[in-house]
Amino acid sequence: MGLIHIYHGNGKGKTTASLGLSLRMAGLGKKVLFSQFLKCGDSSEIKALKEFEEVKVLCSPIPHGFFITLSDKEKEDVKREIGELFSKVKDEALDKDLIVMDEILDAVGLGLIEEEALIDFLKVQKEKSEIVLTGRNPSDNLRKSADYITNMEKEKHPFDKGYPAREGIEY
């Protein structure tokens, strides 16, 4: 039996925490599925994660930028791509010990994935796998589904002073 983890909030560390758990499981020889919604998998940590034989990585195929800045056509394309990615995650999840769905809370919040479809997946899959959901603003229903909830809250960040994201630190 697996448990469901939610790492959420406006602070830094949601993806990093899920990567740490993935590394721990891979180090034990466990099978890991690490998926990223709304990210295209071009970050240095994903490059490193792909080196592990025990880890399967699935990411959004194309970087699109911030969803709110996209045209209606681009939003439709992103919704289709995210739906296809979610289907691939469900297919690949069958034999995995750990499933990470990075930024899926945001995909649900934007209406790119139906919350009920995610909850149905969690009900079935948690009998077989540990599951991690990351992002912002988990709904009450997703909170009820979770066994662990960690809120990453920002107190201070260099972005506040206008510093851009730094390679190796933020991505």
Side-chain angles (χ1 to χ4, degrees), residues 39-80:
K39 294 179 180 177
C40 66
D42 62 353
S43 61
S44 55
E45 65 268 22
I46 296 301
K47 180 180 175 184
L49 200 58
K50 287 179 178 179
E51 296 296 316
F52 288 91
E53 183 179 313
E54 299 83 2
V55 179
K56 171 79 175 181
V57 176
L58 295 174
C59 299
S60 296
I62 303 167
H64 293 283
F66 290 107
F67 189 77
I68 60 171
T69 65
L70 302 179
S71 69
D72 288 343
K73 168 72 169 95
E74 290 169 322
K75 288 178 182 178
E76 288 176 28
D77 291 344
V78 170
K79 184 172 184 171
R80 180 184 36 74

Side-chain angles (χ1 to χ4, degrees), residues 23-111:
L23 179 62
R24 180 177 291 148
M25 292 290 276
L28 289 170
K30 303 290 186 180
K31 293 182 180 180
V32 176
L33 174 59
F34 193 97
S35 57
Q36 285 194 313
F37 294 81
L38 304 174
K39 294 179 180 177
C40 66
D42 62 353
S43 61
S44 55
E45 65 268 22
I46 296 301
K47 180 180 175 184
L49 200 58
K50 287 179 178 179
E51 296 296 316
F52 288 91
E53 183 179 313
E54 299 83 2
V55 179
K56 171 79 175 181
V57 176
L58 295 174
C59 299
S60 296
I62 303 167
H64 293 283
F66 290 107
F67 189 77
I68 60 171
T69 65
L70 302 179
S71 69
D72 288 343
K73 168 72 169 95
E74 290 169 322
K75 288 178 182 178
E76 288 176 28
D77 291 344
V78 170
K79 184 172 184 171
R80 180 184 36 74
E81 290 170 8
I82 295 298
E84 290 170 1
L85 177 58
F86 186 51
S87 291
K88 287 179 189 175
V89 167
K90 291 189 288 187
D91 290 342
E92 289 284 341
L94 299 175
D95 67 339
K96 301 303 187 278
D97 299 298
L98 172 66
I99 300 161
V100 174
M101 293 184 278
D102 189 35
E103 300 293 344
I104 196 159
L105 298 175
D106 294 277
V108 168
L110 291 168

Side-chain angles (χ1 to χ4, degrees), residues 4-10 14-15 18 35-39 67 82 85-86 100-116 118-119 122 131-146 148-152:
I4 298 171
H5 308 237
I6 291 179
Y7 304 150
H8 74 101
N10 290 322
K14 298 175 290 290
T15 300
S18 66
S35 57
Q36 285 194 313
F37 294 81
L38 304 174
K39 294 179 180 177
F67 189 77
I82 295 298
L85 177 58
F86 186 51
V100 174
M101 293 184 278
D102 189 35
E103 300 293 344
I104 196 159
L105 298 175
D106 294 277
V108 168
L110 291 168
L112 303 175
I113 295 173
E114 293 296 323
E115 179 178 88
E116 196 58 41
L118 176 57
I119 290 172
L122 296 175
I131 303 170
V132 176
L133 313 174
T134 76
R136 290 176 174 78
N137 305 315
S139 70
D140 289 340
N141 287 333
L142 285 168
R143 287 173 172 275
K144 288 175 190 169
S145 298
Y148 295 86
I149 299 177
T150 302
N151 181 9
M152 311 290 196

